């Protein structure tokens, strides 16, 4: 999704700060980028394509000024061209604006502005904003009032930042799209930042102010203020970010995805520490007062939905009625909520579909809980409570360590909310999970297995019970980073249709853990695909004899059924990663995808 960076107070280095910020934000996914600096005039440089193209354009004609904004665009209105790249300007080029989100009434606004003599250069919804500001200036408004009034006329979702030729400020506002300020006013210098995402300025400061919906910020070289759109002062807390800037680097790995897969033991330790007591085997979920809920609904999208499916099974196994919903399907046909708990599972805490489902649940009177990675995210702030998965920043577009930590967090939550005397084994396995994941990482032969099937036309993944969401996740990871067809199925569903697709060209990854009835039934499915000459890759803890029917085995240590899902998933992450690496795919930024999907 689009990214925003802004800074004031850096003097001649402003351009470098903006370009560095944009490079850091590129993980969100983009197809064009640009910057605008204000210094009596507004200088704009923008290009479709990679940030390197923008850097070359900036070097050829450097914009200057102590106040600037920058943007990475992920096309929604109009193709990725130079004209459609942000920042967008007004008619005389004295106002520049960057915007994330969607302006729903832009066509009506543009017609009115055109009728008043304004000319437009792009296909974007965003371009109406600088023209609205221009029109307010023409009517005599000062810069701040002009931006406020322009923003008040927008319908839809936005994070907006504007600079004007005759002002030394950045003005910014948000509704349904994240914006955070960075505060660096220690010592004798003052520098303020603005971004859609903390990593954009984290190397300069760890002190942040999260804007809420309907708030308006003004950053100047001297100070920062936050008000409501109507102009009432808002006292905002300054929070401290707990992770280091190095955590957003690749640390010697070829890709963020590889680094994040390998970071899982640490991420899990962070998630479980202070929650799972190593000595007495107790689980604590802090002061969350959700003991024995009457029912649970989980809402999520993508990888987080797979975690939600897994979480729903945990709650049901603990005796609590629970259903996982795709967040974007939640409002339609969802049974009425009594006093159930609605849990939003969202890495970023900014996924528009999930936020919308959570708001719907709140409006119907449910208590809401965000299971999220990002402190201060919209989900964390809007829900009644937040339970942080503490995985550290995840930069690769494909979610990896955050999925593992979501599963661990949902285990902790279930045990904490619905305590039972049978939890001891599950708690012991959770305690051992980081070390078990490390063992999988150290011993995995997934790279060699991936090598065998690079030419395959499709990949299938099957699993039952808690391994069914892992099959879905294995397929999602494979398809999004390799661009190969991949599907996950509940193993029992195979013979109800998908078996028609199975041939000698379609490897089937079968997740078989334990040796119970479910494992035996899945082995039956393995035999069915084997009989159709499909290569079988068994992901197994060795408890059953599935390896007898498999062409390859990806081993995991024996653990509990709950933690086996995390371990099996690590093998599937590695299989997808090595397949994509050998195919030369742009692993951290798969085509058409974005890290944080902030439009519905
Ligand atoms: C896939 C992936 C996405 C996200 C989905 C929800 O690898 O990362 O499917 O899981 O867009 O994002 P969050 O968890 O931020 O709500």
């Amino acid at each position: 999704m689009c990214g925003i960076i802004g800074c004031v107070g850096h003097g001649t280095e402003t351009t470098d700060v903006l370009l560095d910020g944009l490079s850091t934000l590129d993980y969100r996914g983009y197809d064009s980028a640009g910057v605008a600096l204000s210094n009596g005039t507004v200088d704009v440089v923008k290009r479709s394509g990679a940030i390197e193209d923008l850097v070359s354009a900036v070097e050829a004609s450097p914009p200057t000024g102590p106040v600037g904004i920058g943007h990475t665009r992920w096309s929604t209105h109009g193709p990725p061209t130079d004209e459609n790249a942000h920042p967008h300007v007004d008619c005389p080029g004295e106002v520049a604006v960057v915007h994330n989100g969607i302006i729903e009434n832009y066509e009506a606004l543009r017609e009115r502005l055109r009728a008043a003599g304004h000319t437009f250069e792009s296909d974007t919804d965003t371009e109406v904003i600088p023209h609205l500001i221009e029109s307010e200036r023409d009517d005599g408004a000062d810069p701040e009032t002009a931006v406020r009034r322009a923003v008040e006329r927008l319908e839809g979702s936005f994070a907006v930042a504007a600079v004007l030729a005759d002002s030394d400020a950045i003005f910014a506002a948000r509704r349904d799209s994240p914006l955070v300020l960075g505060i660096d006013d220690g010592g004798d210098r003052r520098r303020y930042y603005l971004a859609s995402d903390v990593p954009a300025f984290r190397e300069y400061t760890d002190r942040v102010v999260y804007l809420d919906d309907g708030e308006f910020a003004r950053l100047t070289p001297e100070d920062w203020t936050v008000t409501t759109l109507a102009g009432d002062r808002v006292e905002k807390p300054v929070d401290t970010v707990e992770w280091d800037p190095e955590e957003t680097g690749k640390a010697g790995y070829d890709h963020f995805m590889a680094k994040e897969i390998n970071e899982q033991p640490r991420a899990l330790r962070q998630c479980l520490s202070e929650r799972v007591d190593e000595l007495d085997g107790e689980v604590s979920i802090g002061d969350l007062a959700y003991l024995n809920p009457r029912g649970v609904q989980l809402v999520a999208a993508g990888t987080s939905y797979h975690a939600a499916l897994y979480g729903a099974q945990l709650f049901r196994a603990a005796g609590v009625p629970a259903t996982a919903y795709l967040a974007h399907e939640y409002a339609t046909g969802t049974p009425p909520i009594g006093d159930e708990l609605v849990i939003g599972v969202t890495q970023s805490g900014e996924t528009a579909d999930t936020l919308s489902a959570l708001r719907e649940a709140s409006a119907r009177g449910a208590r809401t809980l965000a299971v999220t990675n990002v402190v201060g995210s919209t989900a964390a702030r809007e829900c009644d409570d937040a339970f942080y998965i503490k995985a550290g920043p995840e930069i690769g577009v494909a979610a990896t360590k955050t999925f593992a930590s979501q599963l661990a967090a949902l285990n902790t939550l279930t045990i904490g909310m619905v305590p039972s005397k049978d939890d001891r084994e599950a708690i012991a396995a959770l305690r051992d999970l980081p070390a078990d994941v490390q063992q999988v990482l150290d011993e995995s032969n997934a790279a060699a297995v991936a090598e065998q099937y690079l030419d395959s036309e499709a990949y299938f993944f099957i699993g039952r019970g808690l391994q069914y969401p892992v099959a879905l996740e294995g397929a999602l990871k494979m398809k999004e980073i390799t661009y190969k067809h991949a599907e996950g199925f509940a193993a029992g569903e195979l013979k109800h249709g998908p078996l028609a697709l199975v041939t000698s060209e379609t490897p089937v990854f079968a997740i078989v853990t334990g040796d119970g009835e479910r494992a035996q039934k899945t082995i039956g499915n393995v035999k069915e695909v084997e009989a159709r000459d499909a290569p079988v890759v068994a992901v197994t803890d060795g408890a059953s004899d599935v390896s007898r029917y498999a062409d390859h085995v990806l081993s995991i240590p024996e653990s509990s059924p709950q933690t086996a899902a995390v371990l099996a998933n690590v093998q599937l992450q590695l299989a997808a990663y090595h397949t994509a690496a050998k195919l030369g795919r742009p692993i951290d930024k798969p085509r058409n995808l974005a890290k944080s999907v902030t439009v519905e």
Side-chain angles (χ1 to χ4, degrees):
M1 286 280 109
C2 307
I4 290 176
I5 172 77
C7 73
V8 296
H10 265 275
T12 54
E13 294 158 39
T14 307
T15 314
D16 295 338
V17 175
L18 295 179
L19 292 174
D20 283 353
L22 292 181
S23 298
T24 309
L25 285 175
D26 76 350
Y27 72 92
R28 292 169 66 98
Y30 74 101
D31 44 39
S32 54
V35 293
L37 285 97
S38 153
N39 193 9
T41 59
V42 169
D43 294 345
V44 175
V45 184
K46 54 187 190 170
R47 287 290 180 277
S48 62
I51 289 172
E52 291 73 42
D53 300 323
L54 175 67
V55 172
S56 306
V58 163
E59 279 166 5
S61 164
T64 53
V67 179
I69 52 178
H71 190 262
T72 47
R73 172 174 187 253
W74 189 78
S75 307
T76 52
H77 294 72
T81 59
D82 288 355
E83 293 73 28
N84 287 336
H86 298 211
H88 290 285
V89 296
D90 63 337
C91 295
E94 290 171 356
V95 178
V97 169
V98 294
H99 158 233
N100 291 354
I102 292 181
I103 308 299
E104 284 163 8
N105 59 338
Y106 83 99
E107 281 171 329
L109 291 170
R110 193 171 56 190
E111 284 325 303
R112 248 174 274 152
L113 287 159
R114 269 200 181 123
H118 292 260
T119 53
F120 287 80
E121 309 283 330
S122 78
D123 308 314
T124 66
D125 52 343
T126 303
E127 200 182 353
V128 297
I129 307 172
H131 290 278
L132 285 172
I133 298 172
E134 177 193 356
S135 140
E136 295 293 343
R137 296 301 314 267
D138 290 346
D139 290 346
D142 62 69
E144 181 166 339
T145 310
V147 180
R148 275 183 198 284
R149 287 191 186 150
V151 169
E152 275 169 357
R153 294 177 65 182
L154 305 178
E155 289 169 15
S157 63
F158 52 78
V160 173
V163 292
L164 291 81
D166 59 346
S167 164
D168 65 353
I170 298 176
F171 302 104
R174 76 157 273 177
R175 182 195 297 151
D176 292 345
S177 191
L179 265 184
V180 56
L181 312 184
I183 311 297
D184 180 7
D185 53 9
D188 52 4
R189 56 150 213 233
R190 285 165 192 270
R191 289 167 173 177
Y192 301 114
Y193 304 85
L194 168 83
S196 46
D197 212 355
V198 176
F201 57 68
R202 174 65 191 88
E203 71 174 287
Y204 307 108
T205 183
D206 62 356
R207 298 176 63 232
V208 298
V209 174
Y210 297 101
L211 290 192
D212 284 301
D213 277 348
E215 290 181 344
F216 183 94
R218 189 193 66 196
L219 308 180
T220 70
E222 285 78 43
D223 67 1
W224 61 276
T225 54
V226 176
T227 52
T228 61
L229 269 184
D232 298 327
R233 185 73 184 243
V234 183
E235 290 309 322
K236 299 290 291 182
V238 180
D239 291 323
T240 303
V241 174
E242 282 179 12
W243 43 270
D244 294 330
E246 295 76 53
E247 288 191 50
T248 56
K250 281 196 201 144
Y253 288 92
D254 289 342
H255 301 99
F256 283 111
M257 185 179 179
K259 175 183 169 237
E260 288 158 3
I261 288 173
N262 281 284
E263 275 174 352
Q264 289 178 110
R266 182 165 63 133
L268 287 164
R269 262 183 216 107
Q270 285 167 187
C271 177
L272 297 170
S273 74
E274 294 169 25
R275 291 174 174 163
V276 176
D277 190 298
E278 302 243 348
L279 294 175
D280 64 10
E282 297 280 304
V283 160
S284 154
I285 53 171
D287 52 9
L288 289 183
Y290 293 122
L291 212 55
N292 296 310
R294 261 174 42 111
V296 171
Q297 297 183 343
L298 299 103
V299 293
T303 291
S304 295
Y305 173 65
H306 301 152
L309 283 171
Y310 169 95
Q313 288 197 42
L314 296 182
F315 278 110
R316 287 198 296 267
V320 177
T323 310
Y325 293 91
L326 282 166
H328 29 93
E329 293 292 320
Y330 181 66
T332 48
T334 312
I337 301 167
D339 51 2
E340 285 115 325
L341 172 65
V342 176
I343 301 180
V345 185
T346 166
Q347 183 283 127
S348 62
E350 302 296 348
T351 299
D353 293 317
T354 307
L355 293 175
S356 157
L358 286 167
R359 286 172 190 147
E360 170 71 25
S362 272
R364 289 200 241 156
R367 291 174 305 159
T368 53
L369 170 67
V371 174
T372 184
N373 194 32
V374 181
V375 176
S377 60
T378 306
R381 284 174 297 122
E382 289 190 3
C383 284
D384 295 315
D385 284 294
F387 192 73
Y388 292 108
I389 65 170
K390 301 187 184 179
E394 185 175 72
I395 306 295
V397 163
T400 52
K401 64 174 178 174
T402 54
F403 180 68
S405 297
Q406 283 171 340
L407 301 194
L410 287 164
N411 266 292
T412 315
L413 271 180
T414 323
I415 298 170
M417 283 187 201
V418 199
S420 141
K421 60 180 172 26
D422 301 329
D423 291 336
R424 297 208 80 79
E425 193 197 332
I427 294 172
L430 265 186
R431 209 181 40 202
D432 294 343
L433 185 59
D436 287 346
V437 169
Q438 189 62 56
Q439 185 181 332
V440 175
L441 292 169
D442 292 344
E443 297 174 3
S444 176
N445 55 333
V449 172
E451 182 88 52
Q452 302 286 316
Y453 299 116
L454 294 180
D455 297 331
S456 300
E457 51 189 48
Y459 302 84
F460 298 127
F461 297 76
I462 59 172
R464 259 164 216 269
L466 288 169
Q467 312 311 342
Y468 166 49
V470 177
L472 296 179
E473 176 59 11
L476 178 62
K477 223 82 303 177
M478 185 66 95
K479 77 177 84 162
E480 68 183 331
I481 62 167
T482 68
Y483 308 160
K484 295 270 200 154
H485 182 70
E487 282 311 317
F489 302 110
E493 191 64 10
L494 208 56
K495 55 181 169 295
H496 297 287
L499 198 54
L501 297 171
V502 169
T503 70
S504 58
E505 302 299 316
T506 59
V508 177
F509 289 76
I511 309 154
V512 182
T513 58
D515 192 22
E517 195 186 338
R518 281 201 160 133
Q520 286 307 322
K521 284 189 175 164
T522 308
I523 292 172
N525 303 124
V526 165
K527 291 179 189 163
E528 286 159 13
V529 301
E530 199 202 12
R532 272 85 187 165
D533 291 331
V536 173
V537 181
V539 186
T540 179
D541 51 11
S544 71
D545 62 352
V546 66
S547 49
R548 280 180 50 201
Y549 311 100
D551 297 271
H552 302 279
V553 173
L554 296 173
S555 293
I556 60 172
E558 271 195 74
S559 62
S560 71
Q562 296 86 337
T563 46
V566 180
L567 299 170
N569 187 60
V570 175
Q571 289 285 23
L572 298 183
Q573 292 170 341
L574 290 167
Y577 173 78
H578 289 296
T579 306
K582 287 173 204 293
L583 291 171
R585 304 291 192 236
I587 290 176
D588 286 329
K589 284 175 266 170
R591 69 184 175 205
N592 307 335
L593 298 181
K595 182 65 184 162
S596 177
V597 185
T598 51
V599 289
E600 282 186 67

